[in-house]
mmCIF file of all heavy atoms in Angstrom:
data_model
loop_
_atom_site.group_PDB
_atom_site.id
_atom_site.type_symbol
_atom_site.label_atom_id
_atom_site.label_comp_id
_atom_site.label_asym_id
_atom_site.label_seq_id
_atom_site.Cartn_x
_atom_site.Cartn_y
_atom_site.Cartn_z
ATOM 1 N N LEU B 1 64.214 177.731 257.352
ATOM 2 C CA LEU B 1 64.280 178.007 255.914
ATOM 3 C C LEU B 1 63.653 179.366 255.581
ATOM 4 O O LEU B 1 64.136 180.105 254.724
ATOM 5 C CB LEU B 1 63.571 176.900 255.136
ATOM 6 C CG LEU B 1 64.282 175.535 255.131
ATOM 7 C CD1 LEU B 1 63.415 174.480 254.437
ATOM 8 C CD2 LEU B 1 65.649 175.641 254.444
ATOM 9 N N VAL B 2 62.579 179.708 256.244
ATOM 10 C CA VAL B 2 61.934 181.014 256.016
ATOM 11 C C VAL B 2 62.867 182.139 256.426
ATOM 12 O O VAL B 2 62.997 183.152 255.737
ATOM 13 C CB VAL B 2 60.596 181.083 256.771
ATOM 14 C CG1 VAL B 2 60.052 182.514 256.765
ATOM 15 C CG2 VAL B 2 59.582 180.140 256.155
ATOM 16 N N LEU B 3 63.557 181.962 257.570
ATOM 17 C CA LEU B 3 64.492 183.000 258.022
ATOM 18 C C LEU B 3 65.613 183.196 257.021
ATOM 19 O O LEU B 3 66.021 184.316 256.704
ATOM 20 C CB LEU B 3 65.063 182.620 259.390
ATOM 21 C CG LEU B 3 64.137 182.787 260.596
ATOM 22 C CD1 LEU B 3 64.873 182.336 261.871
ATOM 23 C CD2 LEU B 3 63.719 184.243 260.732
ATOM 24 N N ILE B 4 66.169 182.076 256.507
ATOM 25 C CA ILE B 4 67.274 182.170 255.535
ATOM 26 C C ILE B 4 66.802 182.868 254.265
ATOM 27 O O ILE B 4 67.484 183.733 253.699
ATOM 28 C CB ILE B 4 67.820 180.761 255.218
ATOM 29 C CG1 ILE B 4 68.466 180.153 256.467
ATOM 30 C CG2 ILE B 4 68.817 180.826 254.068
ATOM 31 C CD1 ILE B 4 68.905 178.709 256.294
ATOM 32 N N GLY B 5 65.613 182.522 253.786
ATOM 33 C CA GLY B 5 65.089 183.152 252.569
ATOM 34 C C GLY B 5 64.872 184.638 252.752
ATOM 35 O O GLY B 5 65.180 185.451 251.878
ATOM 36 N N THR B 6 64.356 185.006 253.920
ATOM 37 C CA THR B 6 64.139 186.432 254.189
ATOM 38 C C THR B 6 65.444 187.198 254.220
ATOM 39 O O THR B 6 65.569 188.314 253.684
ATOM 40 C CB THR B 6 63.406 186.601 255.528
ATOM 41 O OG1 THR B 6 62.167 185.886 255.474
ATOM 42 C CG2 THR B 6 63.134 188.071 255.825
ATOM 43 N N ALA B 7 66.468 186.616 254.849
ATOM 44 C CA ALA B 7 67.772 187.282 254.925
ATOM 45 C C ALA B 7 68.361 187.484 253.538
ATOM 46 O O ALA B 7 68.919 188.536 253.224
ATOM 47 C CB ALA B 7 68.717 186.458 255.797
ATOM 48 N N LEU B 8 68.274 186.421 252.681
ATOM 49 C CA LEU B 8 68.790 186.548 251.317
ATOM 50 C C LEU B 8 68.057 187.634 250.544
ATOM 51 O O LEU B 8 68.648 188.412 249.794
ATOM 52 C CB LEU B 8 68.667 185.201 250.590
ATOM 53 C CG LEU B 8 69.616 184.093 251.069
ATOM 54 C CD1 LEU B 8 69.282 182.763 250.376
ATOM 55 C CD2 LEU B 8 71.082 184.478 250.791
ATOM 56 N N PHE B 9 66.728 187.735 250.714
ATOM 57 C CA PHE B 9 65.951 188.758 250.011
ATOM 58 C C PHE B 9 66.382 190.156 250.428
ATOM 59 O O PHE B 9 66.527 191.056 249.607
ATOM 60 C CB PHE B 9 64.464 188.530 250.307
ATOM 61 C CG PHE B 9 63.576 189.590 249.718
ATOM 62 C CD1 PHE B 9 63.241 189.563 248.372
ATOM 63 C CD2 PHE B 9 63.086 190.623 250.513
ATOM 64 C CE1 PHE B 9 62.431 190.529 247.830
ATOM 65 C CE2 PHE B 9 62.283 191.595 249.976
ATOM 66 C CZ PHE B 9 61.947 191.553 248.631
ATOM 67 N N VAL B 10 66.585 190.349 251.728
ATOM 68 C CA VAL B 10 67.012 191.663 252.224
ATOM 69 C C VAL B 10 68.373 192.033 251.675
ATOM 70 O O VAL B 10 68.622 193.166 251.251
ATOM 71 C CB VAL B 10 67.009 191.677 253.765
ATOM 72 C CG1 VAL B 10 67.666 192.946 254.293
ATOM 73 C CG2 VAL B 10 65.587 191.552 254.283
ATOM 74 N N LEU B 11 69.306 191.085 251.642
ATOM 75 C CA LEU B 11 70.648 191.369 251.139
ATOM 76 C C LEU B 11 70.619 191.746 249.664
ATOM 77 O O LEU B 11 71.281 192.692 249.228
ATOM 78 C CB LEU B 11 71.556 190.155 251.366
ATOM 79 C CG LEU B 11 71.943 189.868 252.820
ATOM 80 C CD1 LEU B 11 72.736 188.545 252.923
ATOM 81 C CD2 LEU B 11 72.793 191.011 253.386
ATOM 82 N N VAL B 12 69.868 191.001 248.861
ATOM 83 C CA VAL B 12 69.788 191.292 247.426
ATOM 84 C C VAL B 12 69.145 192.651 247.193
ATOM 85 O O VAL B 12 69.603 193.447 246.381
ATOM 86 C CB VAL B 12 69.005 190.180 246.693
ATOM 87 C CG1 VAL B 12 68.725 190.590 245.243
ATOM 88 C CG2 VAL B 12 69.782 188.878 246.739
ATOM 89 N N SER B 13 68.067 192.928 247.917
ATOM 90 C CA SER B 13 67.385 194.218 247.745
ATOM 91 C C SER B 13 68.293 195.371 248.108
ATOM 92 O O SER B 13 68.331 196.407 247.434
ATOM 93 C CB SER B 13 66.116 194.261 248.610
ATOM 94 O OG SER B 13 65.230 193.234 248.218
ATOM 95 N N HIS B 14 69.067 195.234 249.182
ATOM 96 C CA HIS B 14 69.984 196.278 249.604
ATOM 97 C C HIS B 14 71.052 196.522 248.551
ATOM 98 O O HIS B 14 71.418 197.655 248.244
ATOM 99 C CB HIS B 14 70.615 195.907 250.945
ATOM 100 C CG HIS B 14 71.636 196.919 251.396
ATOM 101 N ND1 HIS B 14 71.274 198.153 251.898
ATOM 102 C CD2 HIS B 14 73.001 196.863 251.393
ATOM 103 C CE1 HIS B 14 72.372 198.825 252.207
ATOM 104 N NE2 HIS B 14 73.420 198.077 251.906
ATOM 105 N N ALA B 15 71.562 195.420 247.950
ATOM 106 C CA ALA B 15 72.596 195.561 246.919
ATOM 107 C C ALA B 15 72.053 196.276 245.699
ATOM 108 O O ALA B 15 72.699 197.134 245.097
ATOM 109 C CB ALA B 15 73.138 194.183 246.527
ATOM 110 N N GLN B 16 70.801 195.923 245.299
ATOM 111 C CA GLN B 16 70.206 196.594 244.150
ATOM 112 C C GLN B 16 69.987 198.068 244.434
ATOM 113 O O GLN B 16 70.266 198.921 243.595
ATOM 114 C CB GLN B 16 68.876 195.912 243.810
ATOM 115 C CG GLN B 16 69.040 194.520 243.228
ATOM 116 C CD GLN B 16 67.694 193.860 242.978
ATOM 117 O OE1 GLN B 16 66.666 194.310 243.501
ATOM 118 N NE2 GLN B 16 67.701 192.807 242.187
ATOM 119 N N LEU B 17 69.490 198.377 245.614
ATOM 120 C CA LEU B 17 69.252 199.766 245.965
ATOM 121 C C LEU B 17 70.540 200.548 246.019
ATOM 122 O O LEU B 17 70.640 201.679 245.562
ATOM 123 C CB LEU B 17 68.513 199.840 247.311
ATOM 124 C CG LEU B 17 68.140 201.245 247.804
ATOM 125 C CD1 LEU B 17 67.194 201.907 246.806
ATOM 126 C CD2 LEU B 17 67.515 201.190 249.190
ATOM 127 N N ALA B 18 71.578 199.928 246.567
ATOM 128 C CA ALA B 18 72.877 200.597 246.638
ATOM 129 C C ALA B 18 73.412 200.874 245.253
ATOM 130 O O ALA B 18 73.991 201.926 244.979
ATOM 131 C CB ALA B 18 73.867 199.733 247.436
ATOM 132 N N GLY B 19 73.219 199.907 244.330
ATOM 133 C CA GLY B 19 73.686 200.120 242.964
ATOM 134 C C GLY B 19 72.959 201.260 242.304
ATOM 135 O O GLY B 19 73.535 202.057 241.579
ATOM 136 N N GLN B 20 71.638 201.360 242.552
ATOM 137 C CA GLN B 20 70.873 202.444 241.963
ATOM 138 C C GLN B 20 71.327 203.795 242.482
ATOM 139 O O GLN B 20 71.263 204.786 241.779
ATOM 140 C CB GLN B 20 69.383 202.232 242.266
ATOM 141 C CG GLN B 20 68.785 201.026 241.530
ATOM 142 C CD GLN B 20 67.384 200.734 242.007
ATOM 143 O OE1 GLN B 20 66.874 201.373 242.923
ATOM 144 N NE2 GLN B 20 66.755 199.745 241.388
ATOM 145 N N ARG B 21 71.751 203.878 243.709
ATOM 146 C CA ARG B 21 72.176 205.141 244.296
ATOM 147 C C ARG B 21 73.651 205.436 244.037
ATOM 148 O O ARG B 21 74.168 206.457 244.476
ATOM 149 C CB ARG B 21 71.937 205.127 245.814
ATOM 150 C CG ARG B 21 70.444 205.100 246.169
ATOM 151 C CD ARG B 21 70.258 205.040 247.665
ATOM 152 N NE ARG B 21 68.851 205.071 248.012
ATOM 153 C CZ ARG B 21 68.397 204.948 249.256
ATOM 154 N NH1 ARG B 21 69.243 204.769 250.255
ATOM 155 N NH2 ARG B 21 67.104 204.979 249.501
ATOM 156 N N GLY B 22 74.312 204.543 243.327
ATOM 157 C CA GLY B 22 75.720 204.805 243.016
ATOM 158 C C GLY B 22 76.654 204.571 244.174
ATOM 159 O O GLY B 22 77.728 205.159 244.231
ATOM 160 N N ILE B 23 76.269 203.736 245.122
ATOM 161 C CA ILE B 23 77.154 203.507 246.259
ATOM 162 C C ILE B 23 77.599 202.046 246.310
ATOM 163 O O ILE B 23 78.084 201.570 247.329
ATOM 164 C CB ILE B 23 76.461 203.888 247.592
ATOM 165 C CG1 ILE B 23 75.153 203.105 247.777
ATOM 166 C CG2 ILE B 23 76.177 205.373 247.642
ATOM 167 C CD1 ILE B 23 74.511 203.314 249.139
ATOM 168 N N ASN B 24 77.448 201.324 245.207
ATOM 169 C CA ASN B 24 77.928 199.950 245.139
ATOM 170 C C ASN B 24 79.447 199.954 245.260
ATOM 171 O O ASN B 24 80.141 200.763 244.661
ATOM 172 C CB ASN B 24 77.498 199.335 243.794
ATOM 173 C CG ASN B 24 77.712 197.830 243.778
ATOM 174 O OD1 ASN B 24 78.779 197.357 244.144
ATOM 175 N ND2 ASN B 24 76.697 197.107 243.336
ATOM 176 N N SER B 25 79.972 199.066 246.014
ATOM 177 C CA SER B 25 81.421 199.046 246.240
ATOM 178 C C SER B 25 82.186 198.807 244.956
ATOM 179 O O SER B 25 83.366 199.137 244.866
ATOM 180 C CB SER B 25 81.769 197.957 247.270
ATOM 181 O OG SER B 25 81.354 196.684 246.776
ATOM 182 N N GLN B 26 81.499 198.222 243.918
ATOM 183 C CA GLN B 26 82.181 197.994 242.655
ATOM 184 C C GLN B 26 82.026 199.169 241.692
ATOM 185 O O GLN B 26 82.553 199.139 240.596
ATOM 186 C CB GLN B 26 81.593 196.727 241.994
ATOM 187 C CG GLN B 26 81.724 195.472 242.853
ATOM 188 C CD GLN B 26 83.183 195.174 243.160
ATOM 189 O OE1 GLN B 26 84.030 195.323 242.289
ATOM 190 N NE2 GLN B 26 83.461 194.762 244.400
ATOM 191 N N ASN B 27 81.285 200.199 242.117
ATOM 192 C CA ASN B 27 81.034 201.357 241.253
ATOM 193 C C ASN B 27 82.230 202.300 241.308
ATOM 194 O O ASN B 27 82.538 202.838 242.367
ATOM 195 C CB ASN B 27 79.763 202.084 241.717
ATOM 196 C CG ASN B 27 79.364 203.188 240.751
ATOM 197 O OD1 ASN B 27 80.126 203.530 239.845
ATOM 198 N ND2 ASN B 27 78.172 203.744 240.964
ATOM 199 N N PRO B 28 82.942 202.533 240.189
ATOM 200 C CA PRO B 28 84.104 203.418 240.233
ATOM 201 C C PRO B 28 83.738 204.847 240.540
ATOM 202 O O PRO B 28 84.610 205.636 240.895
ATOM 203 C CB PRO B 28 84.701 203.283 238.822
ATOM 204 C CG PRO B 28 83.550 202.859 237.967
ATOM 205 C CD PRO B 28 82.701 202.011 238.836
ATOM 206 N N GLN B 29 82.444 205.234 240.404
ATOM 207 C CA GLN B 29 82.055 206.601 240.695
ATOM 208 C C GLN B 29 81.646 206.780 242.156
ATOM 209 O O GLN B 29 81.193 207.851 242.538
ATOM 210 C CB GLN B 29 80.874 207.002 239.794
ATOM 211 C CG GLN B 29 81.194 206.969 238.302
ATOM 212 C CD GLN B 29 82.305 207.940 237.960
ATOM 213 O OE1 GLN B 29 82.358 209.025 238.526
ATOM 214 N NE2 GLN B 29 83.195 207.553 237.057
ATOM 215 N N ASN B 30 81.796 205.743 242.927
ATOM 216 C CA ASN B 30 81.439 205.818 244.333
ATOM 217 C C ASN B 30 82.296 206.871 245.025
ATOM 218 O O ASN B 30 83.518 206.745 245.098
ATOM 219 C CB ASN B 30 81.659 204.440 244.977
ATOM 220 C CG ASN B 30 81.304 204.449 246.459
ATOM 221 O OD1 ASN B 30 80.761 205.426 246.960
ATOM 222 N ND2 ASN B 30 81.635 203.343 247.129
ATOM 223 N N PRO B 31 81.694 207.957 245.571
ATOM 224 C CA PRO B 31 82.507 209.004 246.188
ATOM 225 C C PRO B 31 83.268 208.526 247.413
ATOM 226 O O PRO B 31 84.288 209.101 247.772
ATOM 227 C CB PRO B 31 81.469 210.078 246.552
ATOM 228 C CG PRO B 31 80.157 209.359 246.611
ATOM 229 C CD PRO B 31 80.259 208.253 245.632
ATOM 230 N N GLN B 32 82.773 207.452 248.051
ATOM 231 C CA GLN B 32 83.520 206.943 249.195
ATOM 232 C C GLN B 32 84.799 206.262 248.749
ATOM 233 O O GLN B 32 85.821 206.323 249.436
ATOM 234 C CB GLN B 32 82.640 205.955 249.979
ATOM 235 C CG GLN B 32 81.344 206.584 250.523
ATOM 236 C CD GLN B 32 81.647 207.629 251.567
ATOM 237 O OE1 GLN B 32 82.685 207.551 252.230
ATOM 238 N NE2 GLN B 32 80.761 208.595 251.724
ATOM 239 N N GLN B 33 84.746 205.573 247.575
ATOM 240 C CA GLN B 33 85.917 204.869 247.077
ATOM 241 C C GLN B 33 86.812 205.769 246.231
ATOM 242 O O GLN B 33 88.009 205.555 246.152
ATOM 243 C CB GLN B 33 85.449 203.664 246.228
ATOM 244 C CG GLN B 33 84.563 202.681 247.003
ATOM 245 C CD GLN B 33 85.337 201.960 248.076
ATOM 246 O OE1 GLN B 33 86.546 201.737 247.924
ATOM 247 N NE2 GLN B 33 84.676 201.587 249.172
ATOM 248 N N ASN B 34 86.209 206.757 245.580
ATOM 249 C CA ASN B 34 86.964 207.625 244.680
ATOM 250 C C ASN B 34 86.615 209.081 244.981
ATOM 251 O O ASN B 34 85.710 209.649 244.392
ATOM 252 C CB ASN B 34 86.621 207.286 243.219
ATOM 253 C CG ASN B 34 87.478 208.095 242.253
ATOM 254 O OD1 ASN B 34 88.385 208.812 242.671
ATOM 255 N ND2 ASN B 34 87.175 207.977 240.970
ATOM 256 N N PRO B 35 87.313 209.719 245.911
ATOM 257 C CA PRO B 35 86.975 211.086 246.314
ATOM 258 C C PRO B 35 86.992 212.059 245.151
ATOM 259 O O PRO B 35 86.265 213.040 245.147
ATOM 260 C CB PRO B 35 88.059 211.423 247.362
ATOM 261 C CG PRO B 35 88.569 210.106 247.825
ATOM 262 C CD PRO B 35 88.457 209.191 246.664
ATOM 263 N N GLN B 36 87.845 211.839 244.130
ATOM 264 C CA GLN B 36 87.934 212.768 243.019
ATOM 265 C C GLN B 36 86.673 212.759 242.172
ATOM 266 O O GLN B 36 86.426 213.661 241.385
ATOM 267 C CB GLN B 36 89.147 212.437 242.146
ATOM 268 C CG GLN B 36 90.476 212.644 242.872
ATOM 269 C CD GLN B 36 91.649 212.330 241.973
ATOM 270 O OE1 GLN B 36 91.476 211.797 240.877
ATOM 271 N NE2 GLN B 36 92.837 212.665 242.431
ATOM 272 N N ALA B 37 85.873 211.701 242.294
ATOM 273 C CA ALA B 37 84.665 211.583 241.485
ATOM 274 C C ALA B 37 83.442 212.171 242.176
ATOM 275 O O ALA B 37 82.342 212.061 241.686
ATOM 276 C CB ALA B 37 84.391 210.114 241.160
ATOM 277 N N ARG B 38 83.630 212.814 243.343
ATOM 278 C CA ARG B 38 82.492 213.381 244.047
ATOM 279 C C ARG B 38 81.864 214.504 243.221
ATOM 280 O O ARG B 38 82.571 215.321 242.648
ATOM 281 C CB ARG B 38 82.939 213.941 245.402
ATOM 282 C CG ARG B 38 83.396 212.860 246.371
ATOM 283 C CD ARG B 38 83.836 213.457 247.684
ATOM 284 N NE ARG B 38 84.329 212.421 248.573
ATOM 285 C CZ ARG B 38 84.825 212.674 249.782
ATOM 286 N NH1 ARG B 38 84.898 213.905 250.223
ATOM 287 N NH2 ARG B 38 85.251 211.677 250.530
#
């Protein structure tokens, strides 16, 4: 149970950090997904 909780925490933190940096896969301004928005 501790391992599962730790994994979930890491995944959520990574998603939040990615969103803050503008690299969330759902972000239309993501330069990887939308080269014109670089």
Side-chain angles (χ1 to χ4, degrees):
L1 290 175
V2 169
L3 285 179
I4 294 174
T6 302
L8 289 174
F9 176 79
V10 171
L11 289 174
V12 171
S13 299
H14 177 75
Q16 290 177 344
L17 182 61
Q20 291 172 356
R21 293 178 178 176
I23 57 173
N24 192 312
S25 60
Q26 301 301 320
N27 187 350
Q29 298 299 322
N30 180 8
Q32 300 294 333
Q33 302 292 330
N34 185 6
Q36 295 181 351
R38 293 180 183 178

